[in-house]
């Protein structure tokens, strides 16, 4: 595997998070970072227009936190790209994460240790727990056309259907392994790999930017490595819970973009139209059900 970015980056470590009125969760996340690694860490807070004052408060209170206002709401991927761009070339390892999680003790060091075992690893994802202790399926297969379609159609009414279980890797042992993609809620990125593929695709405002990233890393010859010996707990939904309908639409729009990008041209036009109509109907039903 050849990369023009090889040897361009050093071994320093940074954490980048994107905020949008994160509340108290941001400070808790930053506090947990200090226990997750023995290394010095710079934390970049890429703020997409918070109005609660939390990012400013945390940056003023913590010497290792730098606040980077993005100027507007760039979405998750766009905000992450802006945060990573703030780092000098001495930072060769970047943990990207949501503000609404906390790291288990030693978890970042566990991810870094895995990089020695997987020299072709471009992204390394921890085991993600919900607040009730259950394990979230954060290392999944890529959503192929039929697997993704069946999961979208059956996942809500028949969660244990074979397509969804296969996609989520529900029956796969919780062990260190290569995955199709890793949850963007938290992953350690090899800066070389991230820059080689151009970072996140900013057309994905929210959702599927991590699926797309994992696919493009794989196409570039890198691996997406699941490291369950590293753990985080994801509180989830703090900045999006007040915008449920908008988030449902964003999720379905991103799902369509992902599948349409991989089936371009006139040959696939009828299929794209069917997918678009089906996803629009599914989004409308989900919004109605939540209301």
């Amino acid at each position: 595997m050849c990369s023009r970015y090889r040897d361009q980056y050093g071994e320093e470590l940074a954490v980048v998070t994107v905020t949008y009125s994160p509340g108290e969760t941001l400070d808790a996340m930053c506090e947990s970072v200090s226990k997750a690694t023995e290394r010095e860490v710079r934390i970049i807070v890429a703020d997409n227009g918070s109005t609660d004052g939390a990012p400013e408060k945390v940056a003023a209170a913590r010497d290792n936190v730098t606040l980077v206002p993005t100027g507007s709401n760039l979405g998750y991927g766009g905000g992450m790209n802006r945060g990573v761009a703030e780092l000098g070339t001495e930072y060769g390892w970047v943990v990207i994460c949501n503000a609404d999680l906390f790291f288990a003790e030693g978890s970042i060091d566990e991810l870094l240790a895995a990089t020695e075992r997987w020299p072709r690893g471009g992204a390394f994802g921890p085991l993600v727990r919900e607040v009730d202790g259950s394990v979230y399926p954060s290392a999944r297969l890529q959503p192929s056309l039929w697997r993704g379609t069946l999961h979208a159609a059956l996942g809500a009414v028949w969660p244990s259907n074979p397509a969804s279980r296969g996609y989520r890797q529900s029956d796969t042992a919780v062990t260190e392994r290569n995955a199709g993609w890793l949850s963007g809620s938290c992953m350690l990125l090899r800066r070389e790999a991230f820059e080689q593929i151009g970072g996140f695709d900013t057309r994905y405002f929210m959702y599927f930017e991590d699926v797309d990233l994992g696919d493009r890393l794989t196409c570039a010859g890198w691996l997406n490595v699941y490291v369950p010996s590293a753990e985080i707990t994801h509180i989830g939904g703090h900045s999006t819970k007040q915008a449920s309908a908008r988030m449902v639409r964003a999720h379905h729009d991103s799902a369509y973009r992902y599948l349409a990008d991989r089936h371009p041209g006139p040959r696939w036009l009828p299929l794209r139209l069917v997918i678009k109509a089906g996803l629009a109907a599914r989004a409308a039903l989900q919004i109605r059900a939540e209301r």
Side-chain angles (χ1 to χ4, degrees):
M1 179 172 53
C2 178
S3 172
R4 64 188 177 90
Y5 295 98
R6 183 162 294 162
D7 300 325
Q8 180 175 337
Y9 298 103
E11 292 296 317
E12 295 300 309
L13 172 68
V15 171
V16 177
T17 189
V18 174
T19 53
Y20 187 78
S21 296
E24 297 179 357
T25 60
L26 175 61
D27 190 58
M29 184 277 288
C30 292
E31 178 64 25
S32 71
V33 168
S34 63
K35 300 176 182 178
T37 178
E38 296 181 353
R39 299 177 59 173
E40 291 187 4
V41 185
R42 183 183 180 191
I43 300 176
I44 301 292
V45 177
D47 185 60
N48 271 343
S50 296
T51 57
D52 64 354
E56 292 85 355
K57 181 179 178 180
V58 171
R62 295 181 178 273
D63 292 337
N64 67 330
V65 175
T66 301
L67 177 61
V68 179
T70 65
S72 62
N73 191 349
L74 303 181
Y76 187 79
M80 281 298 178
N81 287 350
R82 177 65 184 87
V84 173
E86 190 72 13
L87 299 170
T89 57
E90 67 271 26
Y91 292 94
W93 300 102
V94 183
V95 174
I96 63 165
C97 67
N98 289 2
D100 54 354
L101 59 80
F102 56 88
F103 294 88
E105 185 172 354
S107 54
I108 294 178
D109 283 342
E110 283 288 333
L111 292 173
L112 288 167
T115 67
E116 299 294 328
R117 299 189 291 272
W118 299 80
R120 292 178 56 228
F124 300 82
L127 182 147
V128 179
R129 291 196 183 276
E130 307 279 13
V131 289
D132 63 2
S134 61
V135 176
Y136 176 78
S138 60
R140 305 188 184 191
L141 296 178
Q142 281 292 330
S144 64
L145 179 61
W146 298 113
R147 184 187 298 125
T149 300
L150 289 173
H151 172 65
L154 301 175
V157 295
W158 182 18
S160 61
N161 73 83
S164 294
R165 293 188 66 83
Y167 168 57
R168 292 170 175 158
Q169 295 285 270
S170 300
D171 298 323
T172 303
V174 181
T175 185
E176 191 166 295
R177 68 179 190 274
N178 183 35
W181 64 278
L182 303 164
S183 170
S185 63
C186 181
M187 68 176 83
L188 170 68
L189 291 168
R190 192 185 299 270
R191 182 93 178 271
E192 173 192 347
F194 185 73
E195 299 291 356
Q196 181 185 342
I197 64 170
F200 284 104
D201 185 336
T202 56
R203 295 176 304 150
Y204 295 87
F205 179 79
M206 186 170 287
Y207 304 112
F208 273 80
E209 67 284 313
D210 46 7
V211 188
D212 173 78
L213 185 83
D215 184 48
R216 288 187 292 117
L217 283 171
T218 299
C219 290
W222 299 98
L223 301 177
N224 299 278
V225 183
Y226 181 47
V227 188
S229 56
E231 290 193 18
I232 66 160
T233 298
H234 189 199
I235 300 169
H238 184 87
S239 63
T240 60
K241 63 184 178 182
Q242 299 301 325
S244 178
R246 181 186 176 204
M247 294 302 103
V248 169
R249 293 189 185 97
H251 184 273
H252 287 77
D253 287 347
S254 292
Y256 172 75
R257 173 168 285 113
Y258 179 85
L259 291 172
D261 279 354
R262 285 148 182 84
H263 298 86
R267 174 190 175 191
W268 294 103
L269 178 59
L271 179 63
R272 292 200 303 272
L273 292 174
V274 170
I275 292 173
K276 189 169 188 177
L279 286 170
R282 186 178 186 272
L285 289 172
Q286 187 174 341
I287 292 170
R288 179 184 296 179
E290 291 187 359
R291 286 175 177 170

